[in-house]
């Protein structure tokens, strides 16, 4: 209810399913696709996205933290939900209550999980060079000892690639080194008779740029959403992915400005001729970067409209002089197509000096999410 009241995100269901199936074809035979729906599915809406994915047969999901996992369970998402980050021991009861899979962030943490005293599904994170989380891959004895601990149901062993998006010789060599390091650990475990766990190392760029890597699972975020990570990112086009997100808001008022009138806080915009100004009901509290103030544009009925003045928390103003008959309640497109024009999330990211994930992942919770 009220999803399209003021400002909202439209999720293109067909595009999402198309991307899902494209990634499935990209992965080696038998490799399970575990979509990454952390950070509210990169801002798209974790519940809405996961529901569509579940309808399309997905049974494995990963998220960053406990609260994200619980949100999905409470919305009825079934199957495996893997928490990629640290969970405070005080919250271990919730891992059991919601039947979640927890990452073992290092061997000491594995002992903590074990000593909680109830059987718990876990995946062991292994550090092969990113040095963010995971036990160092060389610590074979310590890692192997985790299988001796009670209560740990070890479903997986995984690592994460840190330069698989880069194609320089040095980055390719580093990625291959990470893979070799991981493979060696897995070999060592097998040699010690430790089996029955799944392996995973690839995320989006790993799957796109190293499709020959063969593991049991691939944790895929960005490719599912279809956005270019930066303006230079060729991967979505090469794979034929489609952008899932559209961001829209409504015009709340339309007014005339006369020469000399100024707009918004700080009065940085001054009208030098008579013009039409519209307020748009979305602002920086919704995740729209304040750097777009007075120097960006949006689309109204297929017409490009400059943003005038500083962005406010819940709204900003635009010049709608060129729009035929602009009205209160009209749709404004911030990301997506309008007529022949399109604004992509990566263009906004470029303007704001960040990557696309940093824009979409903070789109506010108060924006409605509508599947279209
Ligand atoms: C965020 C994340 C992913 C998904 O990343 P993409 O590059 O968007 O596919 C996978 N694995 C881990 C550990 C992550 O943190």
């Amino acid at each position: 209810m009220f999803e399209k009241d003021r400002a909202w995100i439209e999720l293109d269901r067909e595009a999402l399913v198309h991307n899902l199936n494209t990634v499935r074809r990209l992965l080696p035979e038998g490799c399970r696709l575990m979509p990454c729906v952390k950070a509210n599915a990169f801002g798209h809406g974790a519940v809405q996205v996961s529901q569509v994915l579940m309808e399309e047969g997905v049974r494995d999901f990963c998220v960053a933290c406990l609260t994200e996992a619980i949100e999905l369970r409470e919305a009825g998402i079934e199957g495996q939900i893997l928490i990629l980050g640290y969970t405070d021991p005080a919250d271990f009861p919730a891992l059991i209550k919601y039947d979640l899979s927890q990452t073992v962030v290092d061997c000491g943490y594995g002992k903590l999980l074990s000593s909680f005293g109830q059987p718990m599904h876990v995946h062991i994170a292994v550090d092969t060079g990113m040095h963010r989380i995971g036990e160092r891959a060389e610590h074979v004895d310590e890692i192997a000892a985790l299988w001796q601990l009670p209560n740990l149901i070890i479903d997986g062993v995984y690592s994460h690639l840190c330069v698989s998006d880069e194609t320089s010789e040095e980055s390719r060599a580093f990625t291959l080194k990470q893979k070799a390091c991981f493979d060696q650990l897995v070999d060592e475990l097998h040699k010690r008779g430790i089996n029955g766990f799944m392996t995973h190392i690839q995320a989006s760029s790993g799957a796109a740029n190293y499709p020959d890597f063969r593991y049991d699972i691939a944790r895929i975020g960005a490719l599912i959403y279809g956005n270019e990570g930066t303006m230079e990112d060729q991967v979505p086009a090469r794979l034929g992915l489609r952008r899932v997100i559209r961001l829209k808001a409504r015009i709340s008022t339309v007014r005339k400005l006369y020469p000399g009138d100024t707009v918004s806080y700080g009065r940085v915009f001054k009208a030098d001729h008579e013009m039409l100004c519209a307020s748009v009901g979305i602002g920086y509290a919704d995740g729209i970067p304040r750097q777009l103030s007075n120097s960006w544009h949006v689309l109204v009925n297929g017409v490009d409209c400059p943003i005038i003045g500083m962005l406010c928390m819940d709204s900003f103003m635009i010049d709608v002089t060129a729009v035929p008959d602009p009205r209160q309640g009209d749709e404004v497109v911030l990301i997506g197509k309008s007529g022949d024009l399109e604004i992509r999330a990566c263009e906004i990211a470029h303007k704001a000096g960040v990557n696309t994930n940093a824009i979409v992942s903070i789109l506010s919770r108060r924006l409605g999410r509508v599947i279209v």
Side-chain angles (χ1 to χ4, degrees), residues 36 38 42 84 132 158 160 203-205 219-223 357:
C36 185
K38 66 187 179 188
F42 293 42
L84 297 170
R132 180 170 67 175
Y158 78 91
H160 195 53
S204 289
S205 49
R219 308 177 305 268
I220 305 295
L223 297 183
N357 286 344

Side-chain angles (χ1 to χ4, degrees), residues 35 82 181 215 254 269-270 328 345:
L82 171 62
C181 183
Y215 296 98
V254 180
F269 179 84
K270 189 175 192 177
Q328 194 167 60

Side-chain angles (χ1 to χ4, degrees), residues 90-259:
D91 297 326
F92 285 171
L95 296 173
I96 307 286
K97 178 176 174 198
Y98 291 97
D99 188 21
L100 305 172
S101 300
Q102 172 60 44
T103 291
V104 177
V105 298
D106 57 33
C107 286
Y109 188 75
K111 288 176 194 145
L112 278 178
L113 285 164
S114 166
S115 64
F116 181 65
Q118 292 188 50
M120 184 121 51
H121 287 275
V122 300
H123 288 233
I124 298 168
V126 173
D127 180 10
T128 56
M130 182 159 179
H131 306 318
R132 180 170 67 175
I133 62 161
E135 187 69 29
R136 260 189 113 95
E138 295 85 354
H139 299 173
V140 183
D141 293 339
E142 290 89 334
I143 293 170
L146 291 169
W147 272 268
Q148 305 303 318
L149 294 174
N151 302 317
L152 296 186
I153 307 164
I154 303 176
D155 294 322
V157 175
Y158 78 91
S159 192
H160 195 53
L161 303 173
C162 54
V163 280
S164 57
D165 56 326
E166 288 170 21
T167 51
S168 72
E169 210 172 304
E170 187 186 347
S171 294
R172 291 195 69 88
F174 193 85
T175 299
L176 295 177
K177 200 174 113 192
Q178 281 194 280
K179 179 190 194 296
C181 183
F182 184 72
D183 290 349
Q184 195 186 343
L185 169 73
V186 171
D187 269 359
E188 280 292 332
L189 294 174
H190 288 330
K191 275 188 203 145
R192 294 171 192 220
I194 299 170
N195 294 294
F197 58 88
M198 313 246 260
T199 55
H200 41 119
I201 190 167
Q202 284 151 303
S204 289
S205 49
N209 296 330
Y210 299 86
D212 49 323
F213 286 12
R214 300 188 74 87
Y215 296 98
D216 303 314
I217 304 176
R219 308 177 305 268
I220 305 295
L223 297 183
I224 295 289
Y225 309 105
N227 289 313
E228 293 81 1
T230 62
M231 295 279 277
E232 294 75 40
D233 184 5
Q234 304 291 323
V235 168
R238 168 160 64 82
L239 298 180
L241 300 175
R242 287 158 56 181
R243 289 178 285 276
V244 172
I245 199 167
R246 289 198 281 272
L247 177 60
K248 295 183 175 178
R250 286 192 199 283
I251 289 179
S252 39
T253 65
V254 180
R255 75 194 61 234
K256 256 188 183 174
L257 295 178
Y258 300 95

Side-chain angles (χ1 to χ4, degrees), residues 2 35 54 61 125 144 148 162 165 171 277 284 337 368:
F2 310 125
M54 201 168 86
F61 300 88
Q148 305 303 318
C162 54
D165 56 326
S171 294
C277 162
Y284 63 76
K337 287 183 182 151

